[in-house]
Amino acid sequence: MNNRRDFIKKSALALAAITAGSAIGNTLGTNGFLESALVDGGKYTLPALPYAYDALEPHIDKLTMDIHHSKHHKAYVDNMNKALETVDGNVLGSPQTFENIFDKIAKLPAALRNNAGGHYNHSLFWSLMTPNGGGEPKGKLADAIKTTFGSFDEFKKQFAEAGMKRFGSGWAWLVETKEGKLVITSTPNQDNPLMNLESVEVKGAPILALDVWEHAYYLKNQNKRADYIASWWNVVNWETAEKIFES
Ligand code: MN3
């Protein structure tokens, strides 16, 4: 048990070292939970949630959290590992990190794009929610949001719109670009702003991520995505978002 824990800790530290200073390094390095999602003995693993399945009630229901994590996210992890077995090592190169995979994603199989994206996006998403969440961000992130969008309410409105306008399945994001600008964007399917793809309109480091796939809300909210987004604001982990932004 201890050996395993030590191994995971070391793997996480190694990964943080490899990716330090990069966009993903900034996202992962300050985010202990996300680090635990990473390679264990050469395979990617499903991280345990940092809270119980019912902890986000009444805003996000227990059954949705259970199925979303133990079935949907697990499938992305398993299929990412399977897809990696099919990849030509010369195309991917090393190290086998999210950063390297997303950088080369245009040349890699679609299965890897969908499932590495799914694993990364969900790991980040869980870490950006907490039972003691909601309210407003503080510090530098709060200042940057006000400067960029005029007010926190205006930011919320534009972010919710990005989630509402995403046709079909996908994600809404608050991204910090290379130039240090905050931008709201969205991606289809399991694409994300770290992927080196022409179709990704805004590239940069994710600060906030919202899953707008129907599987994220259908059991509780059915077709009412707007209700789900309104509930989600109550569980946003602004502390984590602030840490990512300030790193
Ligand atoms: Mn999902």
Side-chain angles (χ1 to χ4, degrees):
M1 192 69 185
N2 277 336
N3 282 342
R4 186 182 151 76
R5 201 177 300 139
D6 285 345
F7 177 79
I8 291 169
K9 203 173 157 192
K10 275 181 205 141
S11 305
L13 288 172
L15 184 110
I18 288 162
T19 57
S22 64
I24 293 188
N26 287 343
T27 305
L28 293 176
T30 53
N31 192 329
F33 172 66
L34 192 48
E35 287 171 19
S36 73
L38 299 169
V39 184
D40 182 0
K43 297 281 182 195
Y44 284 78
T45 57
L46 180 68
L49 282 186
Y51 36 76
Y53 285 135
D54 63 359
L56 305 182
E57 295 262 10
H59 311 295
I60 313 267
D61 63 291
K62 179 184 179 182
L63 186 60
T64 295
M65 288 301 295
D66 186 341
I67 293 174
H68 201 174
H69 175 260
S70 69
K71 302 290 195 294
H72 291 281
H73 188 174
K74 183 170 191 302
Y76 294 122
V77 176
D78 292 346
N79 290 325
M80 178 185 182
N81 285 323
K82 276 185 210 154
L84 277 169
E85 286 170 15
T86 72
V87 166
D88 182 339
N90 294 323
V91 177
L92 182 58
S94 64
Q96 197 186 83
T97 57
F98 281 117
E99 172 160 60
N100 190 33
I101 291 166
F102 293 156
D103 186 47
K104 310 231 170 89
I105 203 75
K107 295 176 201 142
L108 294 166
L112 193 57
R113 174 173 166 181
N114 292 333
N115 292 293
H119 182 21
Y120 173 85
N121 296 350
H122 286 85
S123 300
L124 180 63
F125 182 55
W126 308 136
S127 76
L128 285 164
M129 296 192 287
T130 172
N132 307 309
E136 298 192 17
K138 297 188 188 90
K140 287 179 188 164
L141 179 58
D143 295 344
I145 284 174
K146 269 168 206 143
T147 306
T148 308
F149 303 100
S151 68
F152 181 67
D153 283 346
E154 181 60 26
F155 158 74
K156 271 176 82 174
K157 191 177 138 225
Q158 291 184 26
F159 189 88
E161 269 172 17
M164 288 303 295
K165 282 185 189 155
R166 168 50 53 196
F167 181 76
S169 298
W171 292 75
W173 304 94
L174 176 66
V175 168
E176 186 183 11
T177 65
K178 257 192 294 189
E179 295 76 30
K181 284 184 67 177
L182 283 185
V183 182
I184 291 168
T185 188
S186 80
T187 54
N189 306 314
Q190 296 297 349
D191 289 356
N192 68 49
L194 295 162
M195 289 182 178
N196 190 4
L197 293 168
E198 271 184 48
S199 60
V200 172
E201 289 163 30
V202 179
K203 295 180 181 70
I207 307 293
L208 203 58
L210 172 61
D211 187 344
V212 295
W213 283 58
E214 279 188 347
H215 70 219
Y217 61 88
Y218 200 83
L219 294 177
K220 181 168 193 278
N221 302 111
Q222 292 79 49
N223 57 321
K224 299 182 284 287
R225 189 186 285 184
D227 289 359
Y228 157 67
I229 296 175
S231 293
W232 178 76
W233 290 116
N234 295 305
V235 295
V236 172
N237 190 340
W238 286 113
E239 234 175 84
T240 297
E242 286 156 20
K243 276 189 204 156
I244 296 171
F245 179 68
E246 288 179 19
S247 63

